[in-house]
Amino acid sequence: MRKKMLFLLSVLGAASMLCGFDSAETAESILEKVSENSASLESTSSNFTLNCDLSIDIGDGETTSSIAVLADADFDIQAIMDPFAASVDGVVTLSTFGVDEDIIVKTYMISSDETVDTYAYTEDSASDEEGEGTWTYSSVSADEFNMLSLLDLSSSIDYSQMEDLGLTWELDDEAEEYEGTECYLLSAVIDSSNLRTVIDKTEELVGTEASDELGLDDETVSLIEELLDGLKINLYYYIDTATYLPAALIIDLNDTDLTSINSYVTSFAAGYFDSEDSDTTTTVELVINDLSMTYTFSDEAVEAITVPSEALEAVASGEAESLEDIADELTGTEDDAE
C-alpha cells in the first residue's frame, strides 16, 4: 500500500511540473502567441554569449600543425520600446598563438522624435591602457532610421511568412526545461538553400540587392555562395509555457560542412607555399570544435537607459570621433569628396 501511495504521489508530482505544457499546441499557434505577447512588452532584457572554438590544421603530407582559434563573447542587452532606447555591454575574448586579447564593448542608442543618437565605446587590451578606450558618436535623422517601424515589421512576420522564407519550425512532443523554466521547444534548420531564400525575400522587401549595398561583384557573390554550400545552422527556440514569451534561443553551427571552404583554402595555400619542383602539397583544414551562440531572455523590466557622463563629455569636447567620418575613411568617400 505504501509503495502504491509513493508511486501515485510521484506521478502527481510529475504531472504538476508539466501543468503548463499543452499537447494541443502547434508550432504555429505557439509562435502566434509569442508574437502577440512580445508586442505588448514595454522593455526587454537579454544576454548573448558566443563560443567559438576552431582549429586550423596545416599539413605537408608528413606532419600536421594545429593552430587554435578561440573567441568568446558575453553581452548584456537591454531595450525600451517607446521611445526606443537600447544598451549593449560586454566583452569579447580572443585567443590564438597563445595570446589573449580582451575587447570591451559598450553601446547606447537613444531615440527622439528628431534623431537617433548612438554612443559606442571600445577598449582593446592589446592597444589600450585599462580605462582608456575610445568613444565614437553618431546622430541620424529619425526619418532615416525608424527603429520602432523596424521592430513592428519584424514582429508582424507570421508563421506562413517564415515558411515562405524556408524556415520551418518543429515542436518537440514533450516539455523541456531551460534553467528551471518549463518550455515548449521549437527547432528549425537554416542551410545554404533556405539562406538564399531569406536573402532574396529580404532584397524584395527593401527593394535593393545585398550585393549592391555591399559593393560586391558577381564573381565575389558566386564565391561566397560556393563557400556557404555546406552551411547548416540548427536553431533551438525555448518558449516559456506559462507566459508564451521567449526563454532562450540557441544557434548551433557545429554541423556545418566545411568541405568547400577547406578545398578553397587548400588550393590557395598550395599556390602560395608549394613550388613546382616540390614533392609536398600543403593542406589546410578548418575544424569546428564548437561554434554556437545563445540568447537568454529575462522578464526583468528595464526602467531606464542612460548614456554615461563620460560619453557625453567625450562628444562635447570633440574627443569622440564621428562614426560617419570613420565610415567615410574606410570607404574612401572622404577622399573622393576632396
Side-chain angles (χ1 to χ4, degrees):
M1 180 70 180
R2 180 177 296 177
K3 290 182 178 180
K4 290 182 178 180
M5 181 62 70
L6 290 173
F7 175 75
L8 179 59
L9 290 174
S10 66
V11 170
L12 290 175
S16 64
M17 291 177 62
L18 299 176
C19 61
F21 184 84
D22 185 351
S23 59
E25 292 282 16
T26 64
E28 182 175 4
S29 65
I30 291 172
L31 289 173
E32 286 178 352
K33 291 177 181 178
V34 170
S35 179
E36 292 172 1
N37 293 348
S38 297
S40 64
L41 293 177
E42 296 182 353
S43 65
T44 63
S45 181
S46 61
N47 176 261
F48 169 80
T49 58
L50 163 71
N51 187 35
C52 176
D53 181 353
L54 309 176
S55 62
I56 302 174
D57 295 343
I58 304 174
D60 59 6
E62 295 182 0
T63 60
T64 300
S65 300
S66 184
I67 302 172
V69 179
L70 306 174
D72 295 301
D74 191 337
F75 291 98
D76 290 322
I77 305 167
Q78 295 185 327
I80 296 175
M81 296 301 107
D82 191 14
F84 182 80
S87 68
V88 179
D89 188 347
V91 61
V92 178
T93 300
L94 307 174
S95 178
T96 187
F97 294 107
V99 178
D100 295 334
E101 178 181 359
D102 293 332
I103 303 174
I104 296 174
V105 178
K106 299 179 182 180
T107 302
Y108 303 86
M109 182 180 290
I110 308 295
S111 68
S112 65
D113 292 339
E114 293 80 24
T115 63
V116 178
D117 299 328
T118 303
Y119 305 80
Y121 175 83
T122 57
E123 180 185 322
D124 191 338
S125 63
S127 56
D128 299 320
E129 294 292 333
E130 185 175 351
E132 295 185 359
T134 303
W135 283 100
T136 54
Y137 170 73
S138 172
S139 181
V140 299
S141 167
D143 294 333
E144 297 178 36
F145 191 80
N146 192 326
M147 180 57 73
L148 287 177
S149 296
L150 294 175
L151 292 172
D152 289 342
L153 177 63
S154 63
S155 63
S156 66
I157 297 177
D158 59 27
Y159 185 78
S160 62
Q161 290 172 312
M162 289 186 184
E163 288 189 314
D164 290 341
L165 292 173
L167 191 61
T168 302
W169 291 96
E170 301 289 341
L171 173 62
D172 201 74
D173 292 335
E174 299 179 355
E176 295 286 342
E177 185 176 290
Y178 187 85
E179 295 187 352
T181 299
E182 182 194 82
C183 296
Y184 296 103
L185 174 57
L186 303 177
S187 59
V189 175
I190 296 176
D191 56 22
S192 56
S193 61
N194 53 19
L195 179 63
R196 181 68 259 177
T197 303
V198 170
I199 293 174
D200 290 341
K201 293 291 184 179
T202 303
E203 290 176 343
E204 290 178 12
L205 181 66
V206 301
T208 182
E209 293 189 8
S211 56
D212 292 340
E213 288 291 323
L214 297 174
L216 303 177
D217 56 32
D218 292 341
E219 183 178 351
T220 303
V221 172
S222 297
L223 175 60
I224 293 173
E225 291 179 346
E226 180 181 343
L227 295 180
L228 291 176
D229 184 54
L231 177 72
K232 185 175 182 180
I233 305 174
N234 295 307
L235 303 176
Y236 303 98
Y237 197 14
Y238 292 84
I239 308 298
D240 190 327
T241 59
T243 63
Y244 286 91
L245 289 173
L249 173 64
I250 297 175
I251 305 169
D252 183 342
L253 289 86
N254 290 309
D255 291 335
T256 293
D257 183 354
L258 300 176
T259 301
S260 296
I261 292 177
N262 287 332
S263 176
Y264 175 80
V265 175
T266 293
S267 298
F268 176 81
Y272 186 80
F273 292 107
D274 302 332
S275 60
E276 293 181 2
D277 56 354
S278 173
D279 294 332
T280 61
T281 300
T282 302
T283 60
V284 180
E285 182 179 15
L286 178 64
V287 178
I288 296 178
N289 301 311
D290 185 22
L291 183 54
S292 57
M293 292 162 274
T294 301
Y295 282 93
T296 303
F297 302 92
S298 168
D299 57 3
E300 179 182 354
V302 181
E303 300 299 332
I305 293 175
T306 305
V307 178
S309 58
E310 56 263 32
L312 299 175
E313 291 168 2
V315 173
S317 66
E319 294 180 13
E321 190 169 3
S322 166
L323 289 175
E324 288 82 0
D325 290 343
I326 295 175
D328 289 343
E329 291 175 7
L330 292 174
T331 59
T333 306
E334 190 176 62
D335 295 337
D336 294 340
E338 295 175 356

